[in-house]
């Protein structure tokens, strides 16, 4: 059974710092991996989708990498801003090459202090 | 452009009362639709998903049910709410199978069962 773990559960950094959020999954035979952002009391917003054949995806100050063999992904945020404060979740399909529904980690709650 | 609407935004209901949460998608046809629950301290849990009108798949046994009476309408219901049904409910859609496509989320409904 696919399990997704995100470390750390919470992170507080001063504005301007570069930071890395981690996501690990137990079944490395995934179809792709997605990173989402959730603001307090709001729905999720898709940030990046990495296909299994890709090693990384970039969007603005965000860079997500994928290492399938080790079952890991990282979300790198450059020059963090207070507006980046939110919970970041990663999600993968069930594994075994399945195209089934996503399984989410519990998220990393990021706080960027001005 | 596609939009997803979810209502109500917040709801306070007594134990034993019925529930109906509605989700509609605009700007697309034949979307895959999903209901998730996010409880405090827990990850995002998939409750139901639908690949077409009248087609509902349940991921976990529970006190809830879902229906899809129209192509772009997804309803989450309960005949008698339990305290454990409290949580943040999110509706989402994807243009195809979840593993291959980005999921787009509604703003969520905060349900408090008292």
């Amino acid at each position: 059974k696919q399990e997704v773990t995100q470390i750390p559960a919470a992170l507080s950094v001063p504005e301007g710092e570069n930071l890395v959020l981690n996501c690990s999954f137990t079944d490395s035979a995934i179809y792709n991996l997605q990173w989402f952002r959730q603001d307090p009391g709001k729905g999720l917003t898709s940030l990046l989708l990495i296909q299994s054949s890709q090693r990384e995806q970039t969007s603005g100050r965000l860079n997500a990498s994928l290492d399938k063999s080790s079952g890991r992904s990282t979300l790198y945020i450059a020059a963090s801003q207070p507006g980046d404060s939110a919970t970041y979740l990663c999600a993968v399909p069930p594994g075994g090459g399945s195209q089934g529904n996503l399984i989410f980690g519990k998220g990393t709650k990021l706080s960027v202090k001005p | 452009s596609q939009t997803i609407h979810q209502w109500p935004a917040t709801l306070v209901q007594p134990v034993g009362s019925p529930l109906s949460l509605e989700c509609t998608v605009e700007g697309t046809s034949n979307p895959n639709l999903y209901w998730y629950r996010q409880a405090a301290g827990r990850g995002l849990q998939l409750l139901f998903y639908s690949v077409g009108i009248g087609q509902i798949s349940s991921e976990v046994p529970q006190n809830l049910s879902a229906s899809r009476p129209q192509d772009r309408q997804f309803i989450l219901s309960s005949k008698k709410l339990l305290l454990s049904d409290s949580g943040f409910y999110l509706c989402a859609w994807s243009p195809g199978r979840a593993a291959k496509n980005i999921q787009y989320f509604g703003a969520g409904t905060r349900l408090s069962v008292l």
Side-chain angles (χ1 to χ4, degrees):
Chain A
K1 178 183 176 184
Q2 180 75 277
E3 294 182 3
V4 182
T5 303
Q6 290 188 248
I7 295 173
L11 182 63
S12 182
V13 301
E15 182 178 4
E17 270 202 11
N18 302 324
L19 57 98
V20 174
L21 307 181
N22 298 292
C23 172
S24 61
F25 42 95
T26 53
D27 189 329
S28 61
I30 57 170
Y31 201 83
N32 60 25
L33 181 144
Q34 298 188 43
W35 281 95
F36 294 84
R37 168 184 172 140
Q38 185 177 27
D39 291 291
K42 305 292 185 182
L44 279 68
T45 301
S46 179
L47 296 174
L48 292 163
L49 183 154
I50 309 177
Q51 300 293 348
S52 60
S53 58
Q54 297 176 315
R55 294 193 64 84
E56 65 178 58
Q57 276 280 10
T58 299
S59 176
R61 293 181 295 107
L62 304 179
N63 177 277
S65 68
L66 174 63
D67 184 346
K68 279 184 57 179
S69 61
S70 65
R72 294 182 180 181
S73 175
T74 60
L75 180 65
Y76 175 83
I77 303 178
S80 58
Q81 303 171 358
D84 295 329
S85 298
T87 297
Y88 291 81
L89 298 99
C90 69
V92 295
S98 169
Q99 298 180 19
N101 295 308
L102 297 178
I103 297 170
F104 287 79
K106 293 185 179 180
T108 294
K109 185 175 182 179
L110 173 66
S111 177
V112 181
K113 306 294 186 182
Chain B
S1 62
Q2 302 88 3
T3 56
I4 178 169
H5 302 281
Q6 200 180 329
W7 67 92
T10 59
L11 192 59
V12 180
Q13 292 283 97
V15 170
S17 64
L19 172 74
S20 180
L21 303 181
E22 189 162 345
C23 173
T24 59
V25 181
E26 297 178 356
T28 187
S29 59
N30 196 33
N32 282 14
L33 297 171
Y34 311 84
W35 277 112
Y36 291 88
R37 176 170 59 203
Q38 192 174 37
R42 300 180 65 179
L44 205 61
Q45 181 184 37
L46 179 64
L47 302 176
F48 301 95
Y49 70 96
S50 171
V51 299
I53 296 175
Q55 301 179 60
I56 309 295
S57 296
S58 174
E59 288 291 295
V60 293
Q62 60 213 317
N63 184 41
L64 303 168
S65 62
S67 62
R68 183 170 179 173
Q70 301 181 44
D71 180 46
R72 290 169 289 177
Q73 183 184 30
F74 206 23
I75 298 172
L76 183 68
S77 304
S78 174
K79 292 182 179 179
K80 290 186 177 182
L81 283 169
L82 305 173
L83 287 174
S84 58
D85 291 324
S86 293
F88 191 52
Y89 288 82
L90 289 160
C91 180
W93 75 275
S94 64
R97 303 183 76 169
K100 299 180 68 175
N101 295 278
I102 292 175
Q103 285 196 359
Y104 301 90
F105 284 78
T109 295
R110 175 73 59 190
L111 172 65
S112 299
V113 182
L114 305 176

Short mmCIF file of all heavy atoms in Angstrom, two decimals, chain B residues 25-57:
data_model
loop_
_atom_site.label_atom_id
_atom_site.label_comp_id
_atom_site.label_asym_id
_atom_site.label_seq_id
_atom_site.Cartn_x
_atom_site.Cartn_y
_atom_site.Cartn_z
N VAL B 25 -19.06 22.02 -11.57
CA VAL B 25 -17.92 22.42 -12.39
C VAL B 25 -18.44 23.09 -13.65
O VAL B 25 -19.42 22.63 -14.24
CB VAL B 25 -17.05 21.20 -12.75
CG1 VAL B 25 -15.85 21.61 -13.60
CG2 VAL B 25 -16.59 20.49 -11.49
N GLU B 26 -17.79 24.15 -14.07
CA GLU B 26 -18.17 24.86 -15.28
C GLU B 26 -17.01 24.89 -16.26
O GLU B 26 -15.85 24.88 -15.86
CB GLU B 26 -18.60 26.29 -14.95
CG GLU B 26 -19.83 26.38 -14.07
CD GLU B 26 -20.19 27.81 -13.74
OE1 GLU B 26 -19.43 28.72 -14.12
OE2 GLU B 26 -21.22 28.03 -13.07
N GLY B 27 -17.33 24.92 -17.52
CA GLY B 27 -16.30 25.10 -18.53
C GLY B 27 -15.62 23.84 -19.01
O GLY B 27 -14.61 23.92 -19.72
N THR B 28 -16.15 22.70 -18.64
CA THR B 28 -15.59 21.45 -19.12
C THR B 28 -16.71 20.41 -19.18
O THR B 28 -17.78 20.62 -18.62
CB THR B 28 -14.46 20.96 -18.20
OG1 THR B 28 -13.82 19.82 -18.80
CG2 THR B 28 -15.00 20.56 -16.83
N SER B 29 -16.46 19.32 -19.87
CA SER B 29 -17.45 18.26 -19.92
C SER B 29 -16.81 16.93 -19.54
O SER B 29 -15.61 16.73 -19.71
CB SER B 29 -18.07 18.17 -21.33
OG SER B 29 -17.06 17.92 -22.28
N ASN B 30 -17.64 16.05 -18.99
CA ASN B 30 -17.22 14.72 -18.57
C ASN B 30 -15.99 14.73 -17.67
O ASN B 30 -15.04 13.98 -17.89
CB ASN B 30 -16.96 13.82 -19.79
CG ASN B 30 -16.91 12.36 -19.41
OD1 ASN B 30 -17.59 11.93 -18.49
ND2 ASN B 30 -16.08 11.59 -20.10
N PRO B 31 -15.99 15.59 -16.67
CA PRO B 31 -14.83 15.59 -15.76
C PRO B 31 -14.88 14.39 -14.82
O PRO B 31 -15.95 13.84 -14.56
CB PRO B 31 -15.02 16.89 -14.97
CG PRO B 31 -16.50 17.05 -14.90
CD PRO B 31 -17.02 16.53 -16.22
N ASN B 32 -13.75 13.99 -14.30
CA ASN B 32 -13.71 13.10 -13.14
C ASN B 32 -13.92 13.98 -11.91
O ASN B 32 -13.32 15.06 -11.81
CB ASN B 32 -12.35 12.40 -13.05
CG ASN B 32 -12.23 11.25 -14.02
OD1 ASN B 32 -13.03 11.12 -14.95
ND2 ASN B 32 -11.24 10.42 -13.82
N LEU B 33 -14.77 13.53 -11.00
CA LEU B 33 -15.10 14.33 -9.82
C LEU B 33 -14.75 13.57 -8.55
O LEU B 33 -14.84 12.34 -8.52
CB LEU B 33 -16.59 14.68 -9.83
CG LEU B 33 -17.05 15.55 -11.00
CD1 LEU B 33 -18.58 15.65 -11.01
CD2 LEU B 33 -16.43 16.94 -10.90
N TYR B 34 -14.37 14.33 -7.52
CA TYR B 34 -13.87 13.72 -6.29
C TYR B 34 -14.42 14.46 -5.07
O TYR B 34 -14.57 15.68 -5.09
CB TYR B 34 -12.34 13.78 -6.22
CG TYR B 34 -11.64 13.32 -7.46
CD1 TYR B 34 -11.44 14.19 -8.54
CD2 TYR B 34 -11.18 12.01 -7.59
CE1 TYR B 34 -10.82 13.78 -9.69
CE2 TYR B 34 -10.55 11.58 -8.75
CZ TYR B 34 -10.36 12.47 -9.79
OH TYR B 34 -9.74 12.05 -10.93
N TRP B 35 -14.68 13.72 -4.01
CA TRP B 35 -14.94 14.29 -2.68
C TRP B 35 -13.85 13.80 -1.73
O TRP B 35 -13.60 12.59 -1.63
CB TRP B 35 -16.30 13.86 -2.13
CG TRP B 35 -17.46 14.66 -2.61
CD1 TRP B 35 -18.48 14.25 -3.42
CD2 TRP B 35 -17.75 16.02 -2.28
NE1 TRP B 35 -19.37 15.27 -3.62
CE2 TRP B 35 -18.95 16.37 -2.93
CE3 TRP B 35 -17.14 17.00 -1.49
CZ2 TRP B 35 -19.54 17.63 -2.83
CZ3 TRP B 35 -17.72 18.25 -1.39
CH2 TRP B 35 -18.91 18.56 -2.06
N TYR B 36 -13.22 14.76 -1.04
CA TYR B 36 -12.21 14.48 -0.04
C TYR B 36 -12.67 15.03 1.30
O TYR B 36 -13.44 15.97 1.38
CB TYR B 36 -10.89 15.16 -0.37
CG TYR B 36 -10.14 14.64 -1.57
CD1 TYR B 36 -10.38 15.14 -2.83
CD2 TYR B 36 -9.16 13.67 -1.42
CE1 TYR B 36 -9.67 14.67 -3.93
CE2 TYR B 36 -8.43 13.20 -2.51
CZ TYR B 36 -8.69 13.72 -3.76
OH TYR B 36 -7.97 13.27 -4.84
N ARG B 37 -12.12 14.44 2.37
CA ARG B 37 -12.29 15.01 3.70
C ARG B 37 -10.92 15.22 4.31
O ARG B 37 -10.03 14.36 4.19
CB ARG B 37 -13.12 14.10 4.61
CG ARG B 37 -13.23 14.66 6.05
CD ARG B 37 -14.25 13.89 6.86
NE ARG B 37 -13.96 12.48 6.96
CZ ARG B 37 -14.87 11.55 7.22
NH1 ARG B 37 -16.14 11.89 7.39
NH2 ARG B 37 -14.52 10.30 7.29
N GLN B 38 -10.77 16.35 4.97
CA GLN B 38 -9.52 16.69 5.64
C GLN B 38 -9.85 16.95 7.10
O GLN B 38 -10.44 17.96 7.45
CB GLN B 38 -8.90 17.92 4.99
CG GLN B 38 -7.48 18.21 5.41
CD GLN B 38 -6.92 19.37 4.60
OE1 GLN B 38 -7.61 20.32 4.27
NE2 GLN B 38 -5.63 19.30 4.26
N ALA B 39 -9.50 15.99 7.96
CA ALA B 39 -9.76 16.14 9.38
C ALA B 39 -8.52 16.70 10.06
O ALA B 39 -7.40 16.51 9.57
CB ALA B 39 -10.15 14.80 9.99
N ALA B 40 -8.72 17.35 11.19
CA ALA B 40 -7.61 17.97 11.91
C ALA B 40 -6.54 16.93 12.23
O ALA B 40 -6.84 15.87 12.78
CB ALA B 40 -8.12 18.61 13.19
N GLY B 41 -5.28 17.24 11.87
CA GLY B 41 -4.18 16.34 12.18
C GLY B 41 -4.06 15.13 11.28
O GLY B 41 -3.17 14.30 11.47
N ARG B 42 -4.93 15.07 10.31
CA ARG B 42 -4.90 13.93 9.39
C ARG B 42 -4.73 14.43 7.97
O ARG B 42 -4.97 15.59 7.66
CB ARG B 42 -6.18 13.11 9.52
CG ARG B 42 -6.41 12.57 10.91
CD ARG B 42 -7.68 11.77 10.99
NE ARG B 42 -7.64 10.57 10.17
CZ ARG B 42 -8.65 9.71 10.10
NH1 ARG B 42 -9.75 9.92 10.78
NH2 ARG B 42 -8.54 8.64 9.34
N GLY B 43 -4.33 13.55 7.10
CA GLY B 43 -4.15 13.93 5.71
C GLY B 43 -5.46 14.04 4.97
O GLY B 43 -6.54 13.89 5.53
N LEU B 44 -5.35 14.28 3.70
CA LEU B 44 -6.51 14.40 2.83
C LEU B 44 -6.97 12.99 2.46
O LEU B 44 -6.20 12.21 1.91
CB LEU B 44 -6.11 15.17 1.58
CG LEU B 44 -7.18 15.90 0.80
CD1 LEU B 44 -7.83 16.95 1.66
CD2 LEU B 44 -6.57 16.53 -0.43
N GLN B 45 -8.21 12.68 2.78
CA GLN B 45 -8.74 11.34 2.56
C GLN B 45 -9.77 11.35 1.44
O GLN B 45 -10.75 12.10 1.50
CB GLN B 45 -9.38 10.82 3.85
CG GLN B 45 -9.95 9.42 3.75
CD GLN B 45 -10.66 9.00 5.02
OE1 GLN B 45 -11.32 9.81 5.67
NE2 GLN B 45 -10.53 7.74 5.38
N LEU B 46 -9.55 10.54 0.41
CA LEU B 46 -10.52 10.45 -0.68
C LEU B 46 -11.74 9.67 -0.21
O LEU B 46 -11.61 8.55 0.30
CB LEU B 46 -9.89 9.77 -1.88
CG LEU B 46 -10.80 9.57 -3.09
CD1 LEU B 46 -11.23 10.92 -3.67
CD2 LEU B 46 -10.09 8.74 -4.16
N LEU B 47 -12.92 10.24 -0.36
CA LEU B 47 -14.16 9.60 0.05
C LEU B 47 -14.85 8.93 -1.14
O LEU B 47 -15.23 7.76 -1.07
CB LEU B 47 -15.11 10.63 0.67
CG LEU B 47 -14.59 11.40 1.88
CD1 LEU B 47 -15.62 12.45 2.31
CD2 LEU B 47 -14.29 10.45 3.03
N PHE B 48 -15.08 9.68 -2.19
CA PHE B 48 -15.77 9.18 -3.36
C PHE B 48 -15.15 9.77 -4.62
O PHE B 48 -14.60 10.86 -4.60
CB PHE B 48 -17.26 9.59 -3.35
CG PHE B 48 -18.04 9.11 -2.16
CD1 PHE B 48 -18.20 9.93 -1.05
CD2 PHE B 48 -18.60 7.84 -2.15
CE1 PHE B 48 -18.91 9.49 0.05
CE2 PHE B 48 -19.31 7.40 -1.05
CZ PHE B 48 -19.47 8.22 0.06
N TYR B 49 -15.28 9.04 -5.72
CA TYR B 49 -14.94 9.61 -7.00
C TYR B 49 -15.90 9.09 -8.05
O TYR B 49 -16.54 8.05 -7.88
CB TYR B 49 -13.48 9.36 -7.39
CG TYR B 49 -13.13 7.93 -7.74
CD1 TYR B 49 -13.13 7.50 -9.07
CD2 TYR B 49 -12.78 7.04 -6.74
CE1 TYR B 49 -12.79 6.20 -9.39
CE2 TYR B 49 -12.44 5.74 -7.05
CZ TYR B 49 -12.44 5.33 -8.37
OH TYR B 49 -12.11 4.04 -8.68
N SER B 50 -16.00 9.87 -9.14
CA SER B 50 -16.96 9.54 -10.18
C SER B 50 -16.35 9.83 -11.54
O SER B 50 -15.80 10.90 -11.77
CB SER B 50 -18.24 10.37 -9.99
OG SER B 50 -19.10 10.22 -11.10
N VAL B 51 -16.47 8.87 -12.44
CA VAL B 51 -15.96 9.05 -13.79
C VAL B 51 -17.08 9.38 -14.77
O VAL B 51 -16.80 9.63 -15.95
CB VAL B 51 -15.18 7.82 -14.27
CG1 VAL B 51 -13.98 7.56 -13.36
CG2 VAL B 51 -16.08 6.59 -14.30
N GLY B 52 -18.34 9.39 -14.31
CA GLY B 52 -19.44 9.72 -15.19
C GLY B 52 -20.75 9.79 -14.43
O GLY B 52 -20.82 9.41 -13.25
N ILE B 53 -21.79 10.25 -15.11
CA ILE B 53 -23.11 10.37 -14.48
C ILE B 53 -23.54 9.04 -13.89
O ILE B 53 -23.49 8.01 -14.57
CB ILE B 53 -24.15 10.86 -15.51
CG1 ILE B 53 -23.80 12.28 -15.99
CG2 ILE B 53 -25.55 10.86 -14.89
CD1 ILE B 53 -24.70 12.77 -17.08
N GLY B 54 -23.96 9.08 -12.64
CA GLY B 54 -24.47 7.88 -11.99
C GLY B 54 -23.41 6.88 -11.59
O GLY B 54 -23.72 5.84 -11.01
N GLN B 55 -22.15 7.17 -11.88
CA GLN B 55 -21.05 6.24 -11.56
C GLN B 55 -20.29 6.76 -10.35
O GLN B 55 -19.60 7.76 -10.44
CB GLN B 55 -20.10 6.08 -12.75
CG GLN B 55 -20.76 5.56 -14.01
CD GLN B 55 -19.77 5.46 -15.15
OE1 GLN B 55 -18.78 4.74 -15.05
NE2 GLN B 55 -20.03 6.18 -16.23
N ILE B 56 -20.45 6.07 -9.23
CA ILE B 56 -19.84 6.49 -7.98
C ILE B 56 -19.01 5.35 -7.42
O ILE B 56 -19.49 4.21 -7.33
CB ILE B 56 -20.90 6.88 -6.93
CG1 ILE B 56 -21.90 7.88 -7.51
CG2 ILE B 56 -20.22 7.44 -5.68
CD1 ILE B 56 -21.32 9.21 -7.88
N SER B 57 -17.80 5.66 -7.03
CA SER B 57 -16.95 4.68 -6.36
C SER B 57 -16.63 5.20 -4.97
O SER B 57 -16.28 6.36 -4.80
CB SER B 57 -15.65 4.46 -7.14
OG SER B 57 -15.90 3.91 -8.40
#
